[in-house]
Amino acid sequence: MIDWMRISDLKTEFGTDGFEEILAIFFEETEPAIERLSRGHSGDPAADLHFVRGSADNMGLSDLVAACRRGEAAVAAGAPPDISGVRHAFDGARRALLRMAA
């Protein structure tokens, strides 16, 4: 789920061009962490999950935030995080945001 009110607020605050830049920066900065997690190459999964969660929270991407929180909790408990759930939420948010921006 995406908080479309947050997206609207960002568009209002930064304008359409500014929002598109924010969106591009979000993907540019979070995708490497998602890729590291997906490939099992993250030296610190909790840190990558925390970074993605914070970025997603700023964008209003509540499903991705929740998936990262679950992953962080799993890591804290000594269990493997559900990276496929994080990846699924990330990919879903990307598709929805890119459709909206088009």
Side-chain angles (χ1 to χ4, degrees), residues 27-75:
F27 289 126
E28 182 179 305
E29 291 182 350
T30 56
E31 187 150 25
I34 295 290
E35 289 301 319
R36 282 191 302 274
L37 289 162
S38 296
R39 293 185 176 146
H41 295 150
S42 178
D44 189 350
D48 279 337
L49 288 163
H50 180 79
F51 171 73
V52 173
R53 178 176 53 87
S55 298
D57 197 29
N58 287 332
M59 295 293 294
L61 308 178
S62 52
D63 283 352
L64 183 54
V65 169
C68 288
R69 274 199 183 112
R70 288 189 298 274
E72 288 177 282
V75 170

